[in-house]
Every structure is written in C-alpha cells, then in structure tokens.
C-alpha cells in the first residue's frame, strides 16, 4: 500500500471533495486551464461544446466540460502564489491520492496545466496586447524553497547570475528561484504566427512594492526594476511581471505534471502604457490555448 495521508494533512470534505476547491476526483479532467479571475472561467467555458459540472468555493470557480472532443477543466486560482500552492497540491491529490483509503495510488496521472493570465511587459518587444509564453519563471516569493530538493528542479546557474546582477538582499528577501516551464507543453502552446513571444517571467509576491510600484510607502530598492530590465544572461532577458507562473512551474515539476503559463501584456512598464479593456483580446488567447492543450 502507498503512503498514507492523515486527516490533518489531506483534508477531505464530507461530500468526498477536496477542502478548498470542493472538486470531487471524478469531476477533474486531465487537461486543466487555469486563470486568476473567477469570472474568466465562464469566458473560457463559453467555448466548450458540453459542460458536465460547475463548482464555486471562495475564489475557486470550476467548470469541467469538453472542447472539440477534449475533456477539459477550467478553474480560477485567485491572486498570488499562496493560492497556487493550494490549487496545484489539491489538483494533484484529486488525481493521485485515493480519497477512500487516503493512500498514494500505484499508477500516477500526469496532467497538462496551463495558466492563462495577464502581466506587465518589461521590454520594448513586449507591447501591450502581445502574448508571452513563459519559458523560464523566476519566483520572488520563495514558495519552492519550502519544499525538499528544490535545487533538483531549479536552474542554479541562472539563479546565481540573476541574484548577483540585482545585488540580491538575502538578509531581508526570500531567495529567488528559477524554474523551466514544461518544454513539451510550451512547444505545443507556443504559436509565433499568432504573435506569441517566449520569455522569462518574474512572479512577484505582491502587486505594488514587489513590482516596483511606489504609492505612499517608499521602495527598499528604487532601482530594482531598472536592474531587472537590463539583465541579460546567455540571451535570456526578463520579459514580464506577474504573480503565479513560478509557483505553477515549480510545483508541477515537483509533482510530475506538465505546467506552464501564457500571459497577455496589459501594461508595458517601460513605455508606461496600460490597457484595462483587454477582455476581447484575452478571448483570442483562450481560443489559442484550448486548440493546443
């Protein structure tokens, strides 16, 4: 028998659903399209040919259905890497832990997990409206450092070069980690003819100070964004800011799932441009992902 998971570690609701998402094992597809906004789940599911279930719990809104013969689950994860920690771990538990016996299944299932998000562009070749496929993701929030064997899934040379370039303050900040998004899934989703760009994405632990926005509280390092924008390591440059991709890539790599993030640029921090009316454009990105997942 596989590893046993105690009630305090794997919390299962009375209806046999997982604690936060309230999804039951039979309601989860092997292909998952995630987004931050609960309202965007309806937009994604509007492309489905059939819908078999819909669940809402807190910021987690889930619909499972079919798109051109493919069974797909779309769900919202809310904002931030702490929510990603909940979502990816619970999705994996739904697939790979037997909820009746609380033991690890003998045969593990690998899921395709794509996060569709919005982001801020950090280079001139990432204008508002462009789509960025994260090839590498840098976590500023430190999530993967809480798990064993983090070095085995991280690009340690990239981490070192990046931290040295920024003069990283290890005394006050979590150690940054660098994780590759799944190469197979990336090549499947990446469509240069549709204007997609491969890039390096930073996942920040907040929207204001961590992304260099200064309102009433001064920034600890006012030049950090300039250092980020000028970083160049073997041709890799930082293309965009968001708040979840590194956690998605890192947890998926640890758990044996194919995970990646693709974002639409709604602000360019270099050009100081912003587009708040982006819903029609992101629907184009949704269709591209549904076709290829």
């Amino acid at each position: 028998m596989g590893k046993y998971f105690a009630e305090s570690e794997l919390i299962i609701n009375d209806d046999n659903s997982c604690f936060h998402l309230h999804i039951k094992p039979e309601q989860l597809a092997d292909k998952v399209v995630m987004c931050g906004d609960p309202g965007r789940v309806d937009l994604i599911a509007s492309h489905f040919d059939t819908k078999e279930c819909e669940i809402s719990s807190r910021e987690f809104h889930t619909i499972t259905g079919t798109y051109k013969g493919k069974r797909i689950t779309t769900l919202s994860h809310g904002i931030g890497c702490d929510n990603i920690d909940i979502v990816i771990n619970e999705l994996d538990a739904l697939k790979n832990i037997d909820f009746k016996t609380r033991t690890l299944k003998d045969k593990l299932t690998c899921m395709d997990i794509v996060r569709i998000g919005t982001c801020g562009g950090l280079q001139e070749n990432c204008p508002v409206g462009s789509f960025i496929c994260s090839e590498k993701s840098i976590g500023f929030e430190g999530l993967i450092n809480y798990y064993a064997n983090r070095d085995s899934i991280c690009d340690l040379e990239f981490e070192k070069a990046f931290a040295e370039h920024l003069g990283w303050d290890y005394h006050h900040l979590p150690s940054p980690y660098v994780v590759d998004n799944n190469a197979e899934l990336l090549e499947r989703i990446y469509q240069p003819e549709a204007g997609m760009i491969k890039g390096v994405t930073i996942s920040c632990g907040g929207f204001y100070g961590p992304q260099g926005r200064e309102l009433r509280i001064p920034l600890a390092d006012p030049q950090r964004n300039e250092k980020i924008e000028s970083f160049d390591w073997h041709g890799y440059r930082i293309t965009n800011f968001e708040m979840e991709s590194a956690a998605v890539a890192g947890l998926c790599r640890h758990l044996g799932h194919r995970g990646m993030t693709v974002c639409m640029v709604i602000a360019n921090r270099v050009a100081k441009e912003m587009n708040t009316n982006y819903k029609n454009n992101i629907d184009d990105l949704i269709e591209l992902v549904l076709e290829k997942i």
Side-chain angles (χ1 to χ4, degrees), residues 30-34 84 88 91 109-116 133-137 153 179-189 244-262 289 293:
D30 291 348
K31 297 178 182 293
V32 180
V33 177
M34 304 193 306
I84 297 300
I88 299 297
L91 290 178
T109 299
C110 171
M111 290 181 284
D112 289 338
I113 300 175
V114 179
R115 165 177 138 70
I116 297 176
C133 287
S134 302
E135 186 172 1
K136 291 179 178 290
S137 295
I153 67 163
V179 186
D180 288 340
N181 288 244
N182 182 264
E184 179 186 339
L185 191 55
L186 175 66
E187 289 307 314
R188 204 188 315 160
I189 299 296
E244 294 91 9
S245 72
V248 172
L251 290 174
C252 283
R253 288 201 68 179
H254 262 315
L255 292 165
H257 302 296
R258 290 182 285 267
M260 67 160 291
T261 293
V262 55
V289 171
I293 192 172

Side-chain angles (χ1 to χ4, degrees), residues 56-271:
S56 289
S57 174
R58 308 186 193 190
E59 60 265 62
F60 309 115
H61 179 199
T62 304
I63 296 175
T64 295
T66 59
Y67 176 82
K68 296 186 178 180
K70 296 181 287 190
R71 187 170 184 251
I72 297 174
T73 293
T74 177
L75 80 157
S76 57
H77 52 65
I79 297 175
C81 76
D82 48 350
N83 277 12
I84 297 300
D85 187 58
I86 290 171
V87 171
I88 299 297
N89 275 292
E90 291 196 4
L91 290 178
D92 177 74
L94 285 161
K95 280 294 177 187
N96 292 318
I97 297 175
D98 188 319
F99 275 28
K100 292 181 180 179
T101 64
R102 293 182 164 274
T103 58
L104 189 67
K105 293 179 179 178
D106 293 331
K107 184 178 180 180
L108 301 181
T109 299
C110 171
M111 290 181 284
D112 289 338
I113 300 175
V114 179
R115 165 177 138 70
I116 297 176
T118 56
C119 68
L122 296 173
Q123 302 294 340
E124 291 182 357
N125 69 328
C126 306
V128 170
S130 59
F131 301 146
I132 299 178
C133 287
S134 302
E135 186 172 1
K136 291 179 178 290
S137 295
I138 304 174
F140 271 12
E141 79 303 312
L143 175 68
I144 296 303
N145 299 328
Y146 287 89
Y147 291 94
N149 304 314
R150 56 88 73 199
D151 286 1
S152 67
I153 67 163
C154 293
D155 187 333
L156 302 181
E157 290 187 8
F158 194 118
E159 283 181 10
K160 180 181 178 182
F162 181 75
E164 288 179 352
H165 180 81
L166 265 67
W168 196 260
D169 181 2
Y170 286 100
H171 183 66
H172 294 100
L173 299 172
S175 296
Y177 61 93
V178 179
V179 186
D180 288 340
N181 288 244
N182 182 264
E184 179 186 339
L185 191 55
L186 175 66
E187 289 307 314
R188 204 188 315 160
I189 299 296
Y190 175 60
Q191 299 168 67
E193 67 278 5
M196 287 186 176
I197 303 162
K198 286 184 183 179
V200 180
T201 301
I202 290 179
S203 296
C204 297
F207 183 78
Y208 289 95
Q211 295 188 29
R213 291 183 174 91
E214 183 175 327
L215 298 184
R216 293 187 60 228
I217 307 173
L219 299 174
D221 182 356
Q223 281 74 49
R224 182 173 294 140
N225 277 17
E226 294 177 13
K227 298 173 190 174
I228 289 169
E229 290 160 15
S230 65
F231 177 72
D232 190 333
W233 187 73
H234 297 307
Y236 286 107
R237 303 196 69 184
I238 312 302
T239 50
N240 56 320
F241 272 150
E242 47 89 87
M243 297 175 65
E244 294 91 9
S245 72
V248 172
L251 290 174
C252 283
R253 288 201 68 179
H254 262 315
L255 292 165
H257 302 296
R258 290 182 285 267
M260 67 160 291
T261 293
V262 55
C263 287
M264 186 179 74
V265 178
I266 64 170
N268 187 284
R269 303 297 296 280
V270 178

